[in-house]
mmCIF file of all heavy atoms in Angstrom:
data_model
loop_
_atom_site.group_PDB
_atom_site.id
_atom_site.type_symbol
_atom_site.label_atom_id
_atom_site.label_comp_id
_atom_site.label_asym_id
_atom_site.label_seq_id
_atom_site.Cartn_x
_atom_site.Cartn_y
_atom_site.Cartn_z
ATOM 1 N N LYS A 884 0.850 -1.192 0.000
ATOM 2 C CA LYS A 884 0.000 0.000 0.000
ATOM 3 C C LYS A 884 0.888 1.245 0.000
ATOM 4 O O LYS A 884 1.812 1.368 0.813
ATOM 5 C CB LYS A 884 -0.892 0.056 1.255
ATOM 6 C CG LYS A 884 -1.655 -1.221 1.575
ATOM 7 C CD LYS A 884 -2.799 -1.484 0.629
ATOM 8 C CE LYS A 884 -3.589 -2.724 1.066
ATOM 9 N NZ LYS A 884 -4.632 -3.103 0.103
ATOM 10 N N ASN A 885 0.618 2.141 -0.922
ATOM 11 C CA ASN A 885 1.267 3.451 -0.940
ATOM 12 C C ASN A 885 2.796 3.364 -0.942
ATOM 13 O O ASN A 885 3.476 4.158 -0.281
ATOM 14 C CB ASN A 885 0.790 4.296 0.245
ATOM 15 C CG ASN A 885 -0.718 4.462 0.269
ATOM 16 O OD1 ASN A 885 -1.340 4.707 -0.767
ATOM 17 N ND2 ASN A 885 -1.322 4.291 1.432
ATOM 18 N N CYS A 886 3.327 2.410 -1.658
ATOM 19 C CA CYS A 886 4.772 2.308 -1.835
ATOM 20 C C CYS A 886 5.163 2.952 -3.158
ATOM 21 O O CYS A 886 4.367 2.995 -4.101
ATOM 22 C CB CYS A 886 5.221 0.846 -1.780
ATOM 23 S SG CYS A 886 4.963 0.066 -0.168
ATOM 24 N N ARG A 887 6.412 3.450 -3.230
ATOM 25 C CA ARG A 887 6.786 4.265 -4.380
ATOM 26 C C ARG A 887 8.199 3.929 -4.862
ATOM 27 O O ARG A 887 9.089 3.612 -4.058
ATOM 28 C CB ARG A 887 6.728 5.757 -4.021
ATOM 29 C CG ARG A 887 5.423 6.209 -3.434
ATOM 30 C CD ARG A 887 5.436 7.676 -3.060
ATOM 31 N NE ARG A 887 5.516 8.543 -4.225
ATOM 32 C CZ ARG A 887 4.472 8.890 -4.970
ATOM 33 N NH1 ARG A 887 3.268 8.441 -4.671
ATOM 34 N NH2 ARG A 887 4.626 9.689 -5.998
ATOM 35 N N ILE A 888 8.373 4.047 -6.165
ATOM 36 C CA ILE A 888 9.699 4.063 -6.780
ATOM 37 C C ILE A 888 9.802 5.398 -7.500
ATOM 38 O O ILE A 888 9.030 5.671 -8.426
ATOM 39 C CB ILE A 888 9.896 2.883 -7.747
ATOM 40 C CG1 ILE A 888 9.743 1.554 -6.996
ATOM 41 C CG2 ILE A 888 11.256 2.953 -8.421
ATOM 42 C CD1 ILE A 888 9.818 0.330 -7.884
ATOM 43 N N GLU A 889 10.724 6.255 -7.069
ATOM 44 C CA GLU A 889 10.791 7.625 -7.566
ATOM 45 C C GLU A 889 12.208 7.976 -8.017
ATOM 46 O O GLU A 889 13.186 7.634 -7.346
ATOM 47 C CB GLU A 889 10.399 8.621 -6.461
ATOM 48 C CG GLU A 889 8.996 8.477 -5.934
ATOM 49 C CD GLU A 889 8.702 9.490 -4.838
ATOM 50 O OE1 GLU A 889 9.629 10.225 -4.438
ATOM 51 O OE2 GLU A 889 7.551 9.559 -4.378
ATOM 52 N N ARG A 890 12.292 8.660 -9.141
ATOM 53 C CA ARG A 890 13.553 9.202 -9.666
ATOM 54 C C ARG A 890 14.656 8.131 -9.711
ATOM 55 O O ARG A 890 15.798 8.384 -9.350
ATOM 56 C CB ARG A 890 14.010 10.411 -8.844
ATOM 57 C CG ARG A 890 13.063 11.599 -8.918
ATOM 58 C CD ARG A 890 13.646 12.830 -8.234
ATOM 59 N NE ARG A 890 13.950 12.596 -6.829
ATOM 60 C CZ ARG A 890 13.052 12.661 -5.838
ATOM 61 N NH1 ARG A 890 11.795 12.966 -6.109
ATOM 62 N NH2 ARG A 890 13.415 12.442 -4.591
ATOM 63 N N CYS A 891 14.284 6.956 -10.147
ATOM 64 C CA CYS A 891 15.250 5.865 -10.277
ATOM 65 C C CYS A 891 15.522 5.568 -11.750
ATOM 66 O O CYS A 891 14.681 5.827 -12.620
ATOM 67 C CB CYS A 891 14.728 4.605 -9.593
ATOM 68 S SG CYS A 891 14.725 4.695 -7.790
ATOM 69 N N VAL A 892 16.681 5.004 -12.013
ATOM 70 C CA VAL A 892 17.013 4.469 -13.328
ATOM 71 C C VAL A 892 16.929 2.950 -13.226
ATOM 72 O O VAL A 892 17.596 2.338 -12.392
ATOM 73 C CB VAL A 892 18.419 4.900 -13.777
ATOM 74 C CG1 VAL A 892 18.773 4.249 -15.113
ATOM 75 C CG2 VAL A 892 18.503 6.418 -13.891
ATOM 76 N N VAL A 893 16.091 2.360 -14.061
ATOM 77 C CA VAL A 893 15.937 0.910 -14.126
ATOM 78 C C VAL A 893 16.396 0.496 -15.519
ATOM 79 O O VAL A 893 15.747 0.833 -16.513
ATOM 80 C CB VAL A 893 14.477 0.485 -13.871
ATOM 81 C CG1 VAL A 893 14.346 -1.028 -13.897
ATOM 82 C CG2 VAL A 893 13.974 1.054 -12.552
ATOM 83 N N GLU A 894 17.514 -0.219 -15.609
ATOM 84 C CA GLU A 894 18.091 -0.480 -16.932
ATOM 85 C C GLU A 894 18.882 -1.781 -16.951
ATOM 86 O O GLU A 894 19.336 -2.275 -15.931
ATOM 87 C CB GLU A 894 18.994 0.685 -17.354
ATOM 88 C CG GLU A 894 20.171 0.937 -16.433
ATOM 89 C CD GLU A 894 20.977 2.166 -16.811
ATOM 90 O OE1 GLU A 894 20.745 2.746 -17.882
ATOM 91 O OE2 GLU A 894 21.860 2.555 -16.017
ATOM 92 N N ASP A 895 19.035 -2.313 -18.166
ATOM 93 C CA ASP A 895 19.806 -3.543 -18.389
ATOM 94 C C ASP A 895 19.322 -4.657 -17.469
ATOM 95 O O ASP A 895 20.068 -5.250 -16.686
ATOM 96 C CB ASP A 895 21.302 -3.269 -18.208
ATOM 97 C CG ASP A 895 21.832 -2.303 -19.262
ATOM 98 O OD1 ASP A 895 21.379 -2.393 -20.418
ATOM 99 O OD2 ASP A 895 22.669 -1.455 -18.927
ATOM 100 N N VAL A 896 18.035 -4.938 -17.606
ATOM 101 C CA VAL A 896 17.343 -5.936 -16.798
ATOM 102 C C VAL A 896 16.871 -7.054 -17.722
ATOM 103 O O VAL A 896 16.339 -6.787 -18.804
ATOM 104 C CB VAL A 896 16.146 -5.292 -16.064
ATOM 105 C CG1 VAL A 896 15.303 -6.329 -15.351
ATOM 106 C CG2 VAL A 896 16.634 -4.226 -15.082
ATOM 107 N N SER A 897 17.020 -8.309 -17.315
ATOM 108 C CA SER A 897 16.644 -9.424 -18.188
ATOM 109 C C SER A 897 15.145 -9.622 -18.298
ATOM 110 O O SER A 897 14.647 -10.099 -19.318
ATOM 111 C CB SER A 897 17.294 -10.719 -17.690
ATOM 112 O OG SER A 897 18.670 -10.721 -17.948
ATOM 113 N N GLY A 898 14.382 -9.290 -17.248
ATOM 114 C CA GLY A 898 12.939 -9.465 -17.249
ATOM 115 C C GLY A 898 12.205 -8.141 -17.227
ATOM 116 O O GLY A 898 12.637 -7.156 -17.844
ATOM 117 N N ASN A 899 11.069 -8.097 -16.526
ATOM 118 C CA ASN A 899 10.310 -6.850 -16.391
ATOM 119 C C ASN A 899 11.127 -5.815 -15.612
ATOM 120 O O ASN A 899 11.892 -6.162 -14.712
ATOM 121 C CB ASN A 899 9.003 -7.101 -15.633
ATOM 122 C CG ASN A 899 8.067 -8.052 -16.359
ATOM 123 O OD1 ASN A 899 8.100 -8.170 -17.570
ATOM 124 N ND2 ASN A 899 7.223 -8.725 -15.602
ATOM 125 N N GLY A 900 10.901 -4.547 -15.927
ATOM 126 C CA GLY A 900 11.583 -3.496 -15.183
ATOM 127 C C GLY A 900 11.019 -3.346 -13.784
ATOM 128 O O GLY A 900 11.728 -3.474 -12.783
ATOM 129 N N VAL A 901 9.707 -3.091 -13.690
ATOM 130 C CA VAL A 901 9.015 -2.921 -12.406
ATOM 131 C C VAL A 901 7.703 -3.695 -12.465
ATOM 132 O O VAL A 901 6.963 -3.600 -13.451
ATOM 133 C CB VAL A 901 8.730 -1.439 -12.108
ATOM 134 C CG1 VAL A 901 7.951 -1.300 -10.800
ATOM 135 C CG2 VAL A 901 10.027 -0.633 -12.046
ATOM 136 N N ASN A 902 7.404 -4.451 -11.416
ATOM 137 C CA ASN A 902 6.111 -5.114 -11.255
ATOM 138 C C ASN A 902 5.334 -4.442 -10.136
ATOM 139 O O ASN A 902 5.918 -4.079 -9.109
ATOM 140 C CB ASN A 902 6.284 -6.591 -10.873
ATOM 141 C CG ASN A 902 7.006 -7.401 -11.929
ATOM 142 O OD1 ASN A 902 6.997 -7.069 -13.102
ATOM 143 N ND2 ASN A 902 7.629 -8.488 -11.504
ATOM 144 N N ILE A 903 4.019 -4.344 -10.320
ATOM 145 C CA ILE A 903 3.149 -3.820 -9.266
ATOM 146 C C ILE A 903 1.942 -4.740 -9.145
ATOM 147 O O ILE A 903 1.293 -5.066 -10.140
ATOM 148 C CB ILE A 903 2.698 -2.378 -9.563
ATOM 149 C CG1 ILE A 903 3.913 -1.446 -9.646
ATOM 150 C CG2 ILE A 903 1.725 -1.881 -8.498
ATOM 151 C CD1 ILE A 903 3.574 -0.018 -9.978
ATOM 152 N N GLY A 904 1.634 -5.151 -7.905
ATOM 153 C CA GLY A 904 0.501 -6.043 -7.677
ATOM 154 C C GLY A 904 0.893 -7.498 -7.843
ATOM 155 O O GLY A 904 2.046 -7.880 -7.695
ATOM 156 N N GLU A 905 -0.081 -8.326 -8.181
ATOM 157 C CA GLU A 905 0.135 -9.772 -8.307
ATOM 158 C C GLU A 905 -0.938 -10.361 -9.205
ATOM 159 O O GLU A 905 -1.896 -9.691 -9.584
ATOM 160 C CB GLU A 905 0.083 -10.426 -6.922
ATOM 161 C CG GLU A 905 -1.243 -10.229 -6.202
ATOM 162 C CD GLU A 905 -1.260 -10.810 -4.796
ATOM 163 O OE1 GLU A 905 -0.836 -11.973 -4.628
ATOM 164 O OE2 GLU A 905 -1.717 -10.104 -3.871
ATOM 165 N N ASP A 906 -0.765 -11.657 -9.561
ATOM 166 C CA ASP A 906 -1.823 -12.334 -10.302
ATOM 167 C C ASP A 906 -2.849 -12.893 -9.312
ATOM 168 O O ASP A 906 -2.856 -12.533 -8.140
ATOM 169 C CB ASP A 906 -1.241 -13.413 -11.222
ATOM 170 C CG ASP A 906 -0.549 -14.528 -10.449
ATOM 171 O OD1 ASP A 906 -0.706 -14.606 -9.214
ATOM 172 O OD2 ASP A 906 0.161 -15.331 -11.085
ATOM 173 N N ARG A 907 -3.691 -13.835 -9.774
ATOM 174 C CA ARG A 907 -4.772 -14.304 -8.909
ATOM 175 C C ARG A 907 -4.483 -15.659 -8.264
ATOM 176 O O ARG A 907 -5.375 -16.244 -7.648
ATOM 177 C CB ARG A 907 -6.077 -14.411 -9.708
ATOM 178 C CG ARG A 907 -6.591 -13.102 -10.244
ATOM 179 C CD ARG A 907 -8.071 -13.207 -10.537
ATOM 180 N NE ARG A 907 -8.364 -14.252 -11.526
ATOM 181 C CZ ARG A 907 -9.592 -14.714 -11.783
ATOM 182 N NH1 ARG A 907 -10.628 -14.231 -11.102
ATOM 183 N NH2 ARG A 907 -9.791 -15.636 -12.701
ATOM 184 N N THR A 908 -3.292 -16.190 -8.401
ATOM 185 C CA THR A 908 -3.059 -17.563 -7.970
ATOM 186 C C THR A 908 -3.050 -17.739 -6.455
ATOM 187 O O THR A 908 -3.315 -18.832 -5.961
ATOM 188 C CB THR A 908 -1.728 -18.081 -8.543
ATOM 189 O OG1 THR A 908 -0.666 -17.190 -8.172
ATOM 190 C CG2 THR A 908 -1.791 -18.156 -10.060
ATOM 191 N N ARG A 909 -2.734 -16.710 -5.693
ATOM 192 C CA ARG A 909 -2.718 -16.837 -4.239
ATOM 193 C C ARG A 909 -4.129 -17.168 -3.732
ATOM 194 O O ARG A 909 -5.116 -16.662 -4.247
ATOM 195 C CB ARG A 909 -2.196 -15.531 -3.611
ATOM 196 C CG ARG A 909 -2.065 -15.564 -2.105
ATOM 197 C CD ARG A 909 -1.298 -14.332 -1.601
ATOM 198 N NE ARG A 909 -1.909 -13.089 -1.995
ATOM 199 C CZ ARG A 909 -2.912 -12.491 -1.340
ATOM 200 N NH1 ARG A 909 -3.412 -13.054 -0.244
ATOM 201 N NH2 ARG A 909 -3.399 -11.331 -1.749
ATOM 202 N N ARG A 910 -4.198 -18.007 -2.708
ATOM 203 C CA ARG A 910 -5.491 -18.433 -2.178
ATOM 204 C C ARG A 910 -5.710 -17.907 -0.765
ATOM 205 O O ARG A 910 -4.778 -17.795 0.028
ATOM 206 C CB ARG A 910 -5.584 -19.964 -2.150
ATOM 207 C CG ARG A 910 -5.584 -20.629 -3.526
ATOM 208 C CD ARG A 910 -6.842 -20.263 -4.300
ATOM 209 N NE ARG A 910 -7.078 -21.120 -5.448
ATOM 210 C CZ ARG A 910 -6.657 -20.864 -6.678
ATOM 211 N NH1 ARG A 910 -5.933 -19.784 -6.902
ATOM 212 N NH2 ARG A 910 -6.952 -21.672 -7.670
ATOM 213 N N VAL A 911 -6.966 -17.583 -0.472
ATOM 214 C CA VAL A 911 -7.421 -17.232 0.876
ATOM 215 C C VAL A 911 -8.618 -18.123 1.174
ATOM 216 O O VAL A 911 -9.614 -18.095 0.435
ATOM 217 C CB VAL A 911 -7.807 -15.738 0.984
ATOM 218 C CG1 VAL A 911 -8.444 -15.449 2.331
ATOM 219 C CG2 VAL A 911 -6.586 -14.852 0.761
ATOM 220 N N ASP A 912 -8.513 -18.937 2.196
ATOM 221 C CA ASP A 912 -9.580 -19.890 2.557
ATOM 222 C C ASP A 912 -9.967 -20.771 1.373
ATOM 223 O O ASP A 912 -11.149 -21.070 1.139
ATOM 224 C CB ASP A 912 -10.817 -19.142 3.071
ATOM 225 C CG ASP A 912 -10.534 -18.379 4.363
ATOM 226 O OD1 ASP A 912 -9.663 -18.838 5.131
ATOM 227 O OD2 ASP A 912 -11.165 -17.329 4.577
ATOM 228 N N GLY A 913 -8.948 -21.147 0.600
ATOM 229 C CA GLY A 913 -9.185 -22.052 -0.519
ATOM 230 C C GLY A 913 -9.733 -21.403 -1.770
ATOM 231 O O GLY A 913 -9.971 -22.084 -2.775
ATOM 232 N N LYS A 914 -9.943 -20.095 -1.758
ATOM 233 C CA LYS A 914 -10.493 -19.388 -2.911
ATOM 234 C C LYS A 914 -9.474 -18.402 -3.463
ATOM 235 O O LYS A 914 -8.517 -18.033 -2.784
ATOM 236 C CB LYS A 914 -11.766 -18.636 -2.506
ATOM 237 C CG LYS A 914 -12.881 -19.519 -1.976
ATOM 238 C CD LYS A 914 -14.084 -18.676 -1.565
ATOM 239 C CE LYS A 914 -15.198 -19.534 -1.001
ATOM 240 N NZ LYS A 914 -16.366 -18.695 -0.567
#
């Protein structure tokens, strides 16, 4: 919540530069 990446250089990275959030695979109470 309310986390920030500011005034940074993100470069020469093999995968994604920055990820935010997640997919839906995590489960809560089996759902």
